[in-house]
Amino acid sequence: WLTDNRHPLTSRVAVNRIWRMHFGRGLVASQEDFGSQGKLPTHPDLLDWLAHQFRDTGWDVKALHRLIVLSDTFRQSSDAVADGAGRDPENYLLARGARTRLMAEQIRDAALAASDLLTRTIGGPSVKPYQPAGLWEQSGTGKTYRQDTGERLYRRSLYTFWRRTSPPPSMITFDAGSREVCTAKREATATPLQSLVLLNDPQFVEAARVLAERVWKRFPDDGAARNREAFRSLLGRSPDAVETDVLARMFDEQRRLFAASPDAAAKLLAVGESPADRAVPRADLAAMTVVVNAMMNVNDFIVVQ
């Protein structure tokens, strides 16, 4: 009965959840309530049409994602034109592109993908990526966390092993649910802890270093090109004039600091299991790693707009 053609609720709910992933709000705002106490759909005909498309294509989730992200509605600019923001501040009319924070799993995967560390194998058992030591013991699980090695460290977050009494801390910081109870809708918050994760978590520091190596090898004598390539890999656009100047000054400053403190450079470059390329000068690579890591803290890295 759930997938019977005479029962439209299942496909409507599924479509609404996927729409919210891309636009930050569902066509029905009360994603957790499609009953009489829930919100009415802002675009009921569109919701029904998408629900029919989803069902008629054999419940093909990838096809539905592709249909949405290739639409003119999704690909339009997020900048409000004329008096659009004043007349429709919540963008119910979808007159401009959405601005929505990526989910916890997507943020980690974005860093891995930009650095080319991401293991793209589909399927297989759960994996245990980087995690602070002792968390499971402190949580009273009676278990010990044994970190994986090799390409298993870089699998998509979909495959991360999840213990409900001690879930992955970096994902919890970005509002992933603990999975102890059913959560119909995640809320997106903005906290200082999130910046600390992006700046200090071994997964993000390692990804920054690997991306820094890649752009250095491609542009060994062109600092502006290195910064521009790394910026585009992470944020999907080129830096403006102000950002270009800040990045150049940051690299010069960090290079001087690491040149004066080789031990600090070595400590930074040792983060992560993948070995740093010895062909790249230590101080230069460490400085570029800090610059790339700072790019991960630009709002555009975790916000789709």
Side-chain angles (χ1 to χ4, degrees):
W1 170 241
L2 285 176
T3 55
D4 190 282
N5 288 346
R6 295 168 295 168
H7 181 237
L9 184 60
T10 303
S11 57
R12 284 175 178 166
V13 170
V15 163
N16 194 60
R17 287 174 182 269
I18 292 174
W19 184 273
R20 184 176 185 269
M21 289 181 187
H22 296 293
F23 289 91
R25 184 186 60 246
L27 293 169
V28 176
S30 55
Q31 175 177 299
E32 70 284 2
D33 190 350
F34 264 63
S36 60
Q37 301 300 310
K39 301 289 186 180
L40 292 175
T42 55
H43 299 72
D45 292 340
L46 175 60
L47 178 64
D48 283 346
W49 184 81
L50 287 171
H52 276 89
Q53 288 289 314
F54 186 44
R55 186 195 65 198
D56 294 345
T57 56
W59 306 86
D60 189 332
V61 175
K62 286 186 177 181
L64 179 58
H65 279 290
R66 186 181 301 112
L67 178 65
I68 292 174
V69 300
L70 292 180
S71 68
D72 290 342
T73 303
F74 179 80
R75 293 190 293 174
Q76 63 187 336
S77 170
S78 60
D79 294 333
V81 295
D83 191 35
R87 289 185 290 108
D88 183 21
E90 299 298 327
N91 197 28
Y92 289 119
L93 300 178
L94 301 173
R96 57 187 182 274
R99 296 170 63 95
T100 178
R101 222 274 318 276
L102 294 176
M103 293 188 293
E105 296 86 348
Q106 293 172 322
I107 293 172
R108 176 178 174 273
D109 291 356
L112 292 175
S115 65
D116 284 341
L117 279 173
L118 184 66
T119 300
R120 299 181 182 274
T121 304
I122 296 176
S126 298
V127 295
K128 297 183 177 70
Y130 301 114
Q131 178 174 297
L135 287 184
W136 281 16
E137 291 82 353
Q138 293 176 15
S139 301
T141 63
K143 304 289 183 179
T144 298
Y145 188 86
R146 292 183 176 83
Q147 177 187 301
D148 277 317
T149 59
E151 66 174 15
R152 291 172 62 83
L153 279 174
Y154 314 115
R155 299 214 64 194
R156 287 192 300 159
S157 301
L158 169 69
Y159 301 108
T160 296
F161 184 90
W162 205 281
R163 186 170 293 282
R164 285 176 291 183
T165 51
S166 183
S170 62
M171 292 197 196
I172 294 298
T173 302
F174 282 101
D175 308 306
S178 66
R179 304 187 188 180
E180 293 178 282
V181 296
C182 177
T183 301
K185 181 172 67 175
R186 289 187 189 180
E187 299 298 337
T189 64
T191 70
L193 286 176
Q194 293 168 356
S195 287
L196 291 175
V197 169
L198 295 175
L199 284 170
N200 297 289
D201 188 284
Q203 195 77 90
F204 291 96
V205 175
E206 181 183 25
R209 191 249 303 157
V210 173
L211 179 54
E213 286 180 0
R214 194 180 80 208
V215 298
W216 186 278
K217 292 176 182 177
R218 186 173 179 185
F219 305 104
D221 302 314
D222 191 340
R226 286 196 299 268
N227 291 339
R228 185 168 57 251
E229 180 69 14
F231 201 90
R232 290 188 63 185
S233 296
L234 290 168
L235 282 72
R237 64 175 177 85
S238 296
D240 60 28
V242 174
E243 291 164 337
T244 298
D245 180 62
V246 169
L247 294 174
R249 288 190 287 109
M250 177 183 288
F251 175 80
D252 291 339
E253 175 189 84
Q254 293 297 317
R255 187 182 184 284
R256 287 194 300 271
L257 291 173
F258 284 118
S261 180
D263 290 343
K267 185 177 180 180
L268 175 63
L269 299 179
V271 173
E273 185 183 274
S274 61
D277 191 338
R278 303 294 299 183
V280 182
R282 304 288 86 188
D284 291 11
L285 179 55
M288 193 65 208
T289 297
V290 172
V291 172
V292 174
N293 195 215
M295 294 177 189
M296 291 180 180
N297 265 266
V298 176
N299 195 51
D300 291 4
F301 175 62
I302 62 173
V303 175
V304 176
Q305 53 187 322

